[in-house]
């Protein structure tokens, strides 16, 4: 079964999945056999300081993992969308920053290199 | 705040235009999937031909936004420090003007700050973009899913899967390894830079978790069974690594070097504002197999093909795990984390200098191959020998500043390097003469007089004591002794 192409369109059937992902941890229940289960979860893993199996989960991931018998603990919902515009440097701010950094530097001579590193 | 791809490119363009004697921007041979040019910048000062190269890469994973900014800022900081002949501080971590001068005049510092420009654009794209996008923007044929994970696409145990490595283009891991090794133009650019430049040290900067990472990623690292080499592993299987329980070999010397350098990087980062970066192998991040990563690939190159130079490959995971993944990837105020990253990268650049290589090869055109052979084939094989290598590596940077600041000392250092080279290329029974010893000791005493660093003084006296006992002995015996007796500081 092909998954919906999340990247190109976040739209889903009305009333089905909202436009969110979850940050959560995945836990094995008694129905999960073997000790290597964490290696084949097929989730977007993120490191966890407590050593838990932490991931960013789509709604589809949650449904699948629950059906497979895992327990999920969801800590936070993330709205799917681009980086907030306020976090992107504007071209005006960029120009001000680079001009400030380089002011007075245009014709700055190169320092004398260590004598022996000069091309001779 | 995060810069756009074109702003990052502009920083490199402006640096190259303002300071053409210091910076050159090059367009890499492979444009991104969406046709964007991808740039690298080389920074070097002074003359001289062949140099050791350092390559710093950022932005491979699109959502890890801080690192491309940190890397271009670091280059700007280095350029300004060099030209103004001033030091550079990040919080409590400082480098003197002389430190910066040594780095720029001894190394070629390469940056590829935004390895995945399409991905970064997509994260910032206000209509239809996704701030959690990780991969490049490959349209995977026959599937509705886009993207290849550039840090799984290198030709290193490629095609073996794990918790964050998948053969499925639609995998929720966001870590699709691509149809073939180096199928992606963006990852091919890393291969190109390694093929065409003398890259000795490589750092791929990611986020988050505050780790300094070293190989291996496909399996746990071990230093005792040299028969376990990745070239014998089955690849392209789209299955977990076999045999089960496999552990990859690394020479004790390289393991020690990785740990030592990583620790120095972490120590420098701690000086900034007290953050504690932890040392790990790539495998330990998820306690599972990660294949095709760039830092493993660059280090594996010399093992897969002995004609290639060795490159030490590191990866950083910058920024803390805040417990909120969006804020861990994209903190509202990335400035403190960028300072940590810049300090760590500067520490790594500093560790990439080899004083003997620089004085011998770059300044005086001497091949130092025989000295390198002794280090790698004889000293590196014993714990005591590795102790001497570590000692040398820890004192070389502070002492190089002293040596290069004085022409007479530079000449004397070269004379000594030449003499060591002569002795080590001659018959093994060549005798270390009393004059050799006296000259060496006079040089060490001069350095000890000029350094203010107590630890360096102790190391110099350790070397002095050893050298004193070497007079009249043949080279073979002296080397054997170095390999048997650890450097022991005088207890007095
Ligand atoms: Zn990453």
């Amino acid at each position: 079964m092909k998954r919906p192409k999340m990247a190109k369109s976040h739209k889903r059937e009305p009333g089905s999945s909202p436009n969110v992902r979850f940050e959560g941890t995945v836990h094995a229940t008694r129905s999960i056999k073997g000790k290597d289960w964490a290696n084949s979860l097929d989730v977007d893993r993120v490191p966890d300081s407590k050593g838990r199996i932490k991931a960013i989960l789509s709604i589809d991931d949650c449904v699948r993992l629950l059906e497979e018998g895992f327990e999920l603990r969801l800590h936070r919902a993330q709205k799917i969308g681009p980086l907030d515009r306020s976090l992107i440097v504007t071209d005006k701010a960029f120009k001000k920053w680079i001009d400030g950094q380089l002011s007075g530097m245009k014709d700055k001579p190169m320092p004398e290199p260590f004598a022996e590193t000069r091309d001779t | 705040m995060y810069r756009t791809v074109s702003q990052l490119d502009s920083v490199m363009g402006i640096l190259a235009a303002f300071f053409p004697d210091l910076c050159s921007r090059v367009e890499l041979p492979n444009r991104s999937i969406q046709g964007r040019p991808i740039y690298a910048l080389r920074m070097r000062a002074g003359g001289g031909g062949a140099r050791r190269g350092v390559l710093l890469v950022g932005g491979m994973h699109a959502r890890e936004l801080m690192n491309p900014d940190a890397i271009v800022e670091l280059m700007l900081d280095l350029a300004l420090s060099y030209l103004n002949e001033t030091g550079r501080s990040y919080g409590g971590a400082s480098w003197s003007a002389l430190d910066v001068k040594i780095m720029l005049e001894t190394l070629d510092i390469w940056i590829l700050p935004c390895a995945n420009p399409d991905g970064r654009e997509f994260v910032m794209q206000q209509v239809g973009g996704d701030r959690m996008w990780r991969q490049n923007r490959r349209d995977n044929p026959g599937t509705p899913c886009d993207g290849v994970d550039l840090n799984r696409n290198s030709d290193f145990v490629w095609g073996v899967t794990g918790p964050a490595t998948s053969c499925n283009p639609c995998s929720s891991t966001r870590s699709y390894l691509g149809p073939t090794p180096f199928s992606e133009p963006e990852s091919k650019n890393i291969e190109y830079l390694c093929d065409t430049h003398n890259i000795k040290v490589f750092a791929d900067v990611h986020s988050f978790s505050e780790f300094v990472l070293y190989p291996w990623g496909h399996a746990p690292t071990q230093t005792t069974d040299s028969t376990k080499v990745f070239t014998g592993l089955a690849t392209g299987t789209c299955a977990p690594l076999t045999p089960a329980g496999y552990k990859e070999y690394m020479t004790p010397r390289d393991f020690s070097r990785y740990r030592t350098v990583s620790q120095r990087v972490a120590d420098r980062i701690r000086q900034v504002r007290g953050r504690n970066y932890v040392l790990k192998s790539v495998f330990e991040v998820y306690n599972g197999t990660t294949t095709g990563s760039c830092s493993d690939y660059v280090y594996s190159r010399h093992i897969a093909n002995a004609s290639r130079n060795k490159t030490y490959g590191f990866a950083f995971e910058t920024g803390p795990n805040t417990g909120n993944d969006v804020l861990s990837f994209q903190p509202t105020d990335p400035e403190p984390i960028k300072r940590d990253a810049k300090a760590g990268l500067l520490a790594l650049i500093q560790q990439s200098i080899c004083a003997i290589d620089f004085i011998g090869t770059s300044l005086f055109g001497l091949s130092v191959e025989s000295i390198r052979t002794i280090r790698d084939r004889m000293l590196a094989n014993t714990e005591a020998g590795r102790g001497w290598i570590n000692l040398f590596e820890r004192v070389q940077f502070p002492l190089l500043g002293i040596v290069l600041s004085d022409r007479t000392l530079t000449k004397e250092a070269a004379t000594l390097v030449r003499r060591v080279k002569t002795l080590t290329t001659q018959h093994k029974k060549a005798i270390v003469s009393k004059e050799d010893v006296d000259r060496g000791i006079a040089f060490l005493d001069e350095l000890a007089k000029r350094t203010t660093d107590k630890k360096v003084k102790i190391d110099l006296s350790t070397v002095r004591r050893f050298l004193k006992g070497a007079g009249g002995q043949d080279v073979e015996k002296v080397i054997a002794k170095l390999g048997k007796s650890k450097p022991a500081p005088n207890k007095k």
Side-chain angles (χ1 to χ4, degrees), chain A residues 2-8 10 21 23-24 38-49 54-56 58 61 64 75-76 78-94 97-98 101-102 105-106 108-119, chain B residues 1-4 7 10-11 14 17-19 21-22 46-48 63 65 76 80 82-85 98 101-102 105 122-126 128-133 137 139 142 144 146 162-163 170-174 208-209 286 321 323-326 329-330 332 358 363 404 407:
Chain A
K2 280 181 177 172
R3 284 158 201 241
K5 194 168 186 175
M6 298 295 290
K8 287 213 170 138
H10 305 137
R21 297 186 187 104
E23 294 175 19
N39 287 342
S40 51
L41 285 176
D42 193 24
V43 290
D44 183 6
R45 288 282 298 272
V46 286
D48 181 63
S49 50
K54 192 165 185 240
I56 299 173
S58 67
D61 292 331
R64 172 175 55 84
H75 311 302
R76 184 172 285 102
Q78 293 177 0
K79 197 166 172 289
I80 298 176
L83 183 72
D84 194 298
R85 193 191 294 276
S86 68
L87 290 175
I88 302 172
V89 176
T90 61
D91 285 342
K92 197 175 156 198
F94 173 75
W97 169 76
I98 194 84
Q101 291 281 321
L102 294 173
M105 296 301 294
K106 181 74 182 130
K108 190 96 182 165
M110 290 280 281
E112 275 291 287
F114 293 122
E116 286 73 13
T117 68
R118 274 183 227 144
D119 276 319
Chain B
M1 302 279 276
Y2 302 99
R3 294 185 189 90
T4 63
Q7 290 165 358
S10 279
V11 177
I14 290 167
F18 263 58
F19 314 121
D21 294 334
L22 199 55
R63 64 192 177 187
L65 288 180
L76 182 62
L80 297 181
Y82 182 76
L83 292 164
N84 290 323
E85 300 182 72
L98 181 61
K101 188 175 173 67
I102 293 173
E105 292 188 15
F122 189 62
V123 164
M124 296 184 172
Q125 184 182 302
Q126 292 299 301
D130 181 353
R131 65 183 166 180
M132 280 297 115
W133 193 260
R137 294 290 296 152
D139 188 355
D146 290 343
C170 293
S171 167
S172 290
T173 57
R174 299 164 184 267
F208 54 82
S209 288
Y286 295 120
N321 188 337
N324 175 329
D325 296 332
V326 171
F329 282 124
Q330 297 149 8
T332 316
F358 179 64
L363 296 190
L404 291 177
R407 199 164 185 160

Side-chain angles (χ1 to χ4, degrees), chain B residues 191-212:
Chain B
E191 183 191 36
Y192 166 80
L193 283 167
C194 291
D195 281 346
T196 51
H197 301 287
N198 185 27
I199 305 297
K200 297 286 192 187
V201 174
F202 170 93
D204 186 15
V205 190
H206 289 256
S207 292
F208 54 82
S209 288
E210 300 186 317
F211 295 148
V212 182

Side-chain angles (χ1 to χ4, degrees), chain B residues 60-64 67 134 149 151-152 204-208 316-317 329:
Chain B
M60 186 117 28
H61 289 147
R63 64 192 177 187
E64 301 161 19
N67 307 311
R134 170 181 163 100
D149 186 338
N151 204 30
R152 302 291 183 270
D204 186 15
V205 190
H206 289 256
S207 292
F208 54 82
F316 292 8
E317 295 283 354
F329 282 124

Side-chain angles (χ1 to χ4, degrees), chain B residues 364-378:
Chain B
F364 293 92
L366 299 168
S367 160
V368 293
E369 204 45 49
S370 62
I371 301 175
R372 190 175 297 128
T373 304
I374 289 171
R375 182 192 68 188
D376 294 343
R377 303 248 170 94
M378 296 157 102

Side-chain angles (χ1 to χ4, degrees), chain B residues 196-492:
Chain B
T196 51
H197 301 287
N198 185 27
I199 305 297
K200 297 286 192 187
V201 174
F202 170 93
D204 186 15
V205 190
H206 289 256
S207 292
F208 54 82
S209 288
E210 300 186 317
F211 295 148
V212 182
L213 303 174
Y214 50 83
W216 298 100
H218 63 302
T221 304
Q222 51 86 15
T223 57
T224 48
D225 182 357
S226 62
T227 65
K228 300 286 188 293
V229 182
F230 63 87
T231 47
L233 295 171
T235 60
T237 57
C238 286
L241 189 76
T242 50
Y246 178 86
K247 291 182 181 173
E248 182 72 30
Y249 179 69
M250 184 187 286
T251 64
R253 146 81 181 149
D254 281 357
F255 187 71
S256 155
R257 175 112 183 103
Y258 268 119
R259 293 286 306 185
T260 310
V261 171
S262 303
Q263 189 58 57
R264 286 186 193 134
V265 167
D267 289 347
R268 278 302 214 164
I269 294 174
R270 194 175 309 106
Q271 287 178 358
V272 176
R273 57 182 180 125
R275 300 304 304 178
N276 191 28
Y277 275 57
V278 175
L279 279 48
K280 280 179 194 270
S281 73
V282 174
F283 183 88
E284 289 170 309
V285 173
Y286 295 120
N287 196 26
T289 293
T290 297
T291 54
S293 81
C294 292
S295 53
D296 274 2
Y297 163 72
V298 299
Y299 175 61
S300 75
R301 287 167 52 92
H302 76 287
I303 301 169
N305 178 345
S307 71
R308 289 170 178 157
N309 280 331
K310 186 193 291 183
T311 307
Y312 285 97
F314 293 84
F316 292 8
E317 295 283 354
T318 64
N321 188 337
T322 62
N324 175 329
D325 296 332
V326 171
L327 290 179
S328 297
F329 282 124
Q330 297 149 8
T332 316
D333 178 14
E335 298 305 319
I337 300 168
K338 286 194 286 178
R339 282 194 282 275
D340 292 340
K342 287 186 269 188
L345 291 171
L346 215 41
L348 186 69
I349 292 170
Q350 207 169 14
Q351 294 298 315
S352 309
I353 293 166
C354 172
I356 291 188
D357 209 9
F358 179 64
I359 292 172
T361 314
S362 303
L363 296 190
F364 293 92
L366 299 168
S367 160
V368 293
E369 204 45 49
S370 62
I371 301 175
R372 190 175 297 128
T373 304
I374 289 171
R375 182 192 68 188
D376 294 343
R377 303 248 170 94
M378 296 157 102
L379 295 182
N381 291 336
T382 68
E383 205 190 325
R386 291 192 292 276
W388 287 103
I389 295 172
N390 279 342
L391 183 151
F392 181 79
E393 286 173 350
R394 105 181 140 237
V395 299
Q396 63 171 343
F397 194 83
L399 294 179
L400 192 56
I402 294 170
V403 170
L404 291 177
S405 304
D406 182 311
R407 199 164 185 160
T408 315
L409 277 181
T410 312
K411 287 234 161 84
E412 184 60 13
T415 305
L416 289 168
V417 169
R418 189 177 288 121
R419 178 63 186 150
V420 173
K421 178 186 146 73
T422 307
L423 282 170
T424 50
T425 39
Q426 275 175 0
H427 191 262
K428 284 173 186 167
K429 298 292 172 199
I431 300 290
V432 180
S433 69
K434 188 177 173 303
E435 291 75 54
D436 291 331
V437 171
D438 289 347
R439 197 158 185 175
I441 284 180
F443 183 71
L444 293 172
D445 288 347
E446 193 55 41
L447 295 178
K449 214 162 56 185
R450 297 189 191 205
T451 182
T452 51
D453 186 326
K454 279 189 190 137
K455 285 183 186 158
V456 173
K457 278 185 199 286
I458 292 171
D459 283 337
L460 286 171
S461 77
T462 304
V463 179
R464 190 185 199 280
R465 213 159 344 103
F466 181 86
L467 189 56
K468 226 172 173 180
Q473 296 186 32
D474 64 55
V475 172
E476 197 174 19
K477 258 203 196 108
V478 174
I479 295 168
K481 205 168 142 196
L482 281 170
K484 266 192 226 136
S485 51
K486 280 192 208 173
N490 198 339
K491 296 231 171 59
K492 272 185 278 177

